């Protein structure tokens, strides 16, 4: 199996796509059952998640093997770069949808509710409602205690910004073939990511409001929750890169996996800055 | 799986039997899978439409409970859009883009197969949701809250998750296609030499990557509103049901162009072949496509003129929508100018293409009518809108797909299709389509509301005509199936280039196209 670096690499037939399809079918079906209180849903969902992790492990292992065997020439590398860029763009649009919803609610629709003069049954009591942010809505019976930006969120901002710097420090190490700097930088970044996640979980546990707390709770938990999920994925990806570094993979020319994860990590950083400004602060 | 990597790609054989298809990394095989899948979904969703038309054949309730009627309209829309039209275009992209740009395959063949195989669980979830307690999703394919939040049926969750999976499939597929076009072109194939079908898919893939994640966000909000206590679409909690419409249509309007831009690409390929002239205004076609794509992100609220918006907003969306008719007009002009003084012949693909130019333009004009704010307030949610979007989606998207199938069947199968039967299929489809949908302009302008199983007596004649047309249209598609199967089984041998006016790299490889093509990229002058 000598690598042919002249031609574009076309992999031989693979069952991973079918396994991906089975995993998503089990996960979606199980989740739908679980949400509708069908007892066996949990088992189907867990089975799907297990198949999914097996898929991730197996498919990425194959890709790493192919990469180490030199099947990926320059052109394949460029394909990887384009595709990772477009993938991150799709993620940007995912968060843009939620931010758009937040802005629409805050700037447009809450004003409409507060300006409502309709005296229909069920609506009449809302004439007292004034548009403020944060709010848990005109029908809420309890006052809302919003999250202050200058406690944990500010610390978390600092942590993520520093983690961006440590990751760049690791990248410099890789470029200079300084494996120690690379390893230390990666370990620091992973540790900062883990601390961020711990503090975020702590913040959730201590919060005086939940997802049920009207539109503030809805937007807060979905935006920060999806961001946290992305930090989790980023941390796992960084851990895999660290594992590969310790096994001696990557050199100063050939390390796209490292760069892709770094792009992703910086993207997650930027999303956090928007969250800090528009969800916690303003 | 490690054995798979051990057998290297220099091995030119391929697995046989079922493994050839489920494990495929070949763009042609995966394209074939996509095309067959979309054809079966087309027949399935078409059968649902015949259920609708059977009920509407006469006023009063004959066959269907009103709830079931709503389920049919909803599933018909969802499956036609996500199961038939979109996968068909991806099928063409798979088969033709590597052949057109001189690439050996798509950039990521395994991801390509994953994009296809993710369609299957999504289709299963949508189709089995018919049988769960509470019945299939019934609030229309746009899934507006509060109906979609309040409907307790598990089918709504299944549909939401099915759309999530389809979204993953679309995004992965689009990243693959965009990367292929940007990075896998043969030497000399500059961007402005690419066939227009490749250009339209490049822009469509961009639209998909930009809009499908927004749909994913909206669906997630819907799911959490249903089950996890959020109040995005509930005014009592400070949310707004109209928020869904904004987020949904921010996806939904680009989605409309996702379903028509590749059709423009197909038409722009077929017309020059049979007019035996190069495409008129190639560069302007590219710019027009890009302009349509960019404008598609700033017109979404024209779907919601009657749901409450400040006048300034309504005016903005009215004018931006009308602006789209300019680049679209450029395209129609260029197609007509391509045919002008050409030595035209009228084989089946050309017949379909000319019909698309005529009928899509009717749909474009009725769209312009709908864009005019005061008119839209009258025709909103009437059959006029149904007529409008079937003229763009059936006689725009679906008929261009049919024409393109005839155009490339010789390349795919190595045999010529039966020209006489093809022409029969064309005329039956075109006439039946118009019999079905043209009267809806009249019923709609007269005020017949859509998505209602019963109607006032004054609409009876037109509805009866529409229903006759619909059944003729449905049955005609069985002829299409027969022609395709007949062509696969044999017939007159096709040359490498069966159309004497055809241009492009795909005609430089033999018919049928070998399993592997362009392993050494050709040089384009």
């Amino acid at each position: 199996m000598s690598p042919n670096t002249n031609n574009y690499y076309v992999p031989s037939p693979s069952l991973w796509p079918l396994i991906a399809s089975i995993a998503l079918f089990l996960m979606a079906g199980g989740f739908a059952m679980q949400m509708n209180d069908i007892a066996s849903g949990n088992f189907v969902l867990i089975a799907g998640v297990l198949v999914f992790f097996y898929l991730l492990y197996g498919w990425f292992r194959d890709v790493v093997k192919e990469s180490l065997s030199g099947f990926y020439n320059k052109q394949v590398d460029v394909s990887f770069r384009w595709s990772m860029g477009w993938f991150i763009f799709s993620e940007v649009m995912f968060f843009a949808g939620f931010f758009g919803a937040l802005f629409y609610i805050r700037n447009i629709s809450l004003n409409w509710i507060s300006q409502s003069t309709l005296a229909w049954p069920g609506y009449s009591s809302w004439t007292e409602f004034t548009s403020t942010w944060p709010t848990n809505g005109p029908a809420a019976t309890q006052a809302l205690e919003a999250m202050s930006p200058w406690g944990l969120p500010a610390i978390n901002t600092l942590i993520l910004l520093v983690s961006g710097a440590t990751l760049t420090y690791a990248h410099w190490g890789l470029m200079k073939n300084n494996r120690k700097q690379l390893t230390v930088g990666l370990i620091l970044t992973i540790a900062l990511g883990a601390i961020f996640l711990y503090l975020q979980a702590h913040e959730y546990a201590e919060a005086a409001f939940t997802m049920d707390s009207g539109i503030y709770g809805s937007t807060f938990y979905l935006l920060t929750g999806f961001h946290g999920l992305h930090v989790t994925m980023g941390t796992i990806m960084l851990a895999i890169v660290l594992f590969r570094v310790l096994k001696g993979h990557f050199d100063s020319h050939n390390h796209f996996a490292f760069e892709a994860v770094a792009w992703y990590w910086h993207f997650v950083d930027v999303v956090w800055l928007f969250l800090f400004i528009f969800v916690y602060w303003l | 799986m490690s054995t798979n990597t051990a057998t290297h790609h220099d091995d030119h054989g391929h697995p046989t039997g079922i493994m050839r298809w489920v494990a495929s990394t070949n763009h042609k095989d995966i394209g074939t899978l996509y095309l067959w899948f979309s054809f079966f979904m087309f027949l399935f969703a078409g059968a649902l439409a015949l259920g609708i038309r059977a009920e509407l054949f006469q006023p009063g309730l004959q066959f269907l409970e009103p709830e079931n009627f709503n389920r049919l309209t909803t599933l018909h829309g969802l499956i036609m859009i996500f199961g038939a039209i979109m996968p068909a275009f991806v099928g063409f992209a798979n088969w033709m883009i590597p052949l057109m740009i001189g690439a050996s395959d798509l950039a990521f063949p395994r991801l390509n197969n994953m994009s296809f195989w993710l369609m299957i669980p999504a289709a299963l979830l949508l189709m089995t949701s018919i049988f769960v307690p509470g019945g299939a999703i019934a609030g229309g394919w746009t899934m507006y809250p509060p109906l979609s939040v309040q409907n307790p049926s598990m089918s709504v969750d299944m549909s939401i998750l099915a759309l999530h999976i389809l979204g993953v499939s679309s995004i992965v597929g689009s990243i693959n296609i965009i990367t292929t076009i940007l990075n896998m072109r043969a030497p000399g194939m500059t961007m402005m030499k690419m066939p227009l079908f490749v250009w339209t898919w490049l822009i469509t893939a961009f639209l998909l990557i930009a809009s499908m994640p927004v749909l994913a966000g909206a669906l997630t909000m819907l799911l959490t509103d249903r089950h996890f206590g959020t109040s995005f679409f509930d005014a009592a909690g400070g949310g707004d049901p109209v928020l869904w419409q904004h987020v949904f249509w921010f996806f939904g309007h680009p989605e409309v162009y996702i379903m028509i831009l590749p059709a423009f690409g197909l038409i722009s390929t077929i017309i020059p072949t049979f007019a035996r002239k190069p495409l008129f205004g190639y560069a302007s076609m590219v710019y027009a496509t890009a302009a349509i794509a960019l404008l598609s992100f700033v017109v979404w609220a024209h779907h919601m003129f009657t749901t409450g918006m400040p006048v300034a907003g309504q005016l903005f969306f009215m004018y931006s929508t009308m602006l789209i008719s300019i680049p679209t007009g450029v395209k129609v002009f260029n197609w007509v100018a391509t045919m002008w003084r050409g030595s035209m012949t009228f084989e089946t693909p050309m017949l379909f293409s000319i019909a698309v130019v005529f009928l899509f333009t009717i749909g474009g004009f009725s769209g312009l009518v709908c864009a005019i704010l005061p008119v839209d307030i009258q025709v909103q949610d009437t059959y006029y809108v149904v007529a409008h979007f079937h003229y763009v989606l059936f006689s725009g998207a679906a008929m261009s797909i049919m024409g393109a199938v005839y155009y490339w069947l010789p390349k795919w199968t190595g045999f010529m299709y039966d020209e006489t039967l093809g022409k029969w299929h064309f005329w039956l489809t075109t006439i039946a389509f118009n019999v079905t949908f043209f009267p809806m302009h009249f019923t709609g302008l007269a005020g017949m509301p859509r998505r209602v199983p019963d109607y006032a007596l004054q609409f009876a004649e037109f509805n009866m005509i529409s229903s006759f047309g619909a059944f003729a249209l449905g049955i005609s598609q069985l002829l299409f199936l027969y022609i395709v199967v007949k062509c696969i089984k044999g017939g007159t041998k096709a040359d490498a280039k069966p159309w004497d006016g055809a241009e492009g790299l795909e005609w430089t490889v033999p018919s049928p196209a070998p399993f592997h093509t362009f392993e050494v990229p050709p040089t384009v002058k």
Side-chain angles (χ1 to χ4, degrees), chain A residues 63 76 83 101 121 174 193 227 276:
Chain A
V63 171
V76 180
S83 60
L174 179 55
H227 176 264
F276 182 71

Side-chain angles (χ1 to χ4, degrees), chain A:
Chain A
M1 52 186 261
S2 63
N4 181 348
T5 48
N6 292 322
N7 287 350
Y8 198 87
Y9 177 66
V10 177
S12 28
S14 163
L15 275 178
W16 293 122
L18 186 73
I19 294 168
S21 157
I22 293 167
L24 261 72
F25 184 57
L26 293 176
M27 281 160 74
F31 191 37
M33 288 159 78
Q34 192 263 342
M35 281 186 294
N36 289 277
D37 304 321
I38 298 171
S40 48
N42 279 325
F43 295 104
V44 181
L45 180 58
I46 291 167
V49 171
L50 291 177
V51 177
F52 187 68
F53 278 112
Y54 168 67
L55 161 87
L56 290 181
Y57 168 73
W59 195 334
F60 279 107
R61 187 195 55 190
D62 278 5
V63 171
V64 170
K65 273 188 191 163
E66 287 163 9
S67 172
L68 293 178
S69 313
F71 286 134
Y72 298 159
N73 61 13
K74 183 84 183 94
Q75 197 185 6
V76 180
D77 188 63
V78 174
S79 283
F80 283 141
R81 282 163 198 280
W82 271 119
S83 60
M84 190 66 196
W86 285 107
F87 171 67
I88 289 175
F89 174 62
S90 79
E91 294 270 34
V92 168
M93 293 307 293
F94 180 75
F95 279 99
F98 282 98
F99 275 107
L102 178 70
F103 297 149
Y104 175 80
I105 295 284
R106 285 182 59 169
N107 297 318
I108 298 180
S109 72
L110 276 176
N111 287 327
W112 290 348
I113 298 178
S114 70
Q115 287 160 11
S116 165
T117 50
L118 292 176
W120 294 344
Y123 289 81
S124 51
S125 58
W126 293 1
T127 51
E128 303 296 313
F129 177 72
T130 47
S131 171
T132 52
W133 188 263
T135 179
N136 50 4
T141 49
Q142 287 173 332
L144 178 73
E145 198 182 318
M147 190 67 70
S148 160
W150 302 118
L152 283 184
I155 297 172
N156 264 344
T157 308
L158 198 65
I159 288 173
L160 277 192
L161 287 176
V162 172
S163 78
T166 54
L167 189 57
T168 304
Y169 175 74
H171 196 188
W172 287 348
L174 179 55
M175 300 305 282
K176 291 184 297 191
N177 272 326
N178 183 342
R179 305 293 285 194
K180 194 174 167 219
Q181 182 180 341
L182 168 64
T183 314
V184 170
L186 270 176
I187 290 172
L188 280 175
T189 314
I190 293 166
L192 288 167
I195 294 169
F196 173 91
L197 287 171
Y198 171 76
L199 291 179
Q200 193 73 352
H202 184 70
E203 178 185 286
Y204 282 5
E206 300 283 304
F209 58 92
T210 65
M211 248 194 213
D212 287 323
S213 307
I215 190 65
Y216 178 75
S218 310
T219 50
F220 178 88
Y221 279 106
L222 259 75
L223 273 162
T224 58
F226 274 115
H227 176 264
L229 200 64
H230 282 75
V231 176
T232 311
M233 288 194 291
T235 309
I236 293 170
M237 281 150 60
L238 282 170
I240 292 166
V241 168
L242 175 65
F243 177 72
R244 290 186 62 188
V245 166
L246 295 176
K247 286 193 77 171
H249 297 190
F250 306 127
D251 56 45
S252 57
H253 298 293
N254 193 353
H255 56 263
F256 178 67
F258 180 97
E259 280 183 79
V261 176
W263 294 354
Y264 191 79
W265 193 256
H266 293 311
F267 152 72
V268 172
D269 265 9
V270 173
V271 172
W272 174 262
L273 293 180
F274 278 91
L275 282 178
F276 182 71
I277 295 169
F278 293 110
V279 175
Y280 288 98
W281 184 10
L282 295 181

Side-chain angles (χ1 to χ4, degrees), chain B residues 46 54-55 62 111 126 165 187 192 208 233 236 265 275 347 355 365 367 369 383 386 396 415 417 420 462 471 512 516:
Chain B
E55 177 56 51
Q62 284 87 32
L111 282 182
L126 274 176
I165 295 176
M192 291 310 273
L208 277 163
F233 310 125
E347 287 85 348
F365 277 127
V369 172
Y383 266 81
V386 178
F415 300 110
Y417 61 88
T420 315
F462 279 137
F471 277 87
H516 292 289

Side-chain angles (χ1 to χ4, degrees), chain B residues 45 103 121 169 201 232 241 344 351 450 453:
Chain B
S169 159
W201 244 112
F232 286 102
M344 297 218 285
L351 289 174
R450 63 190 280 213

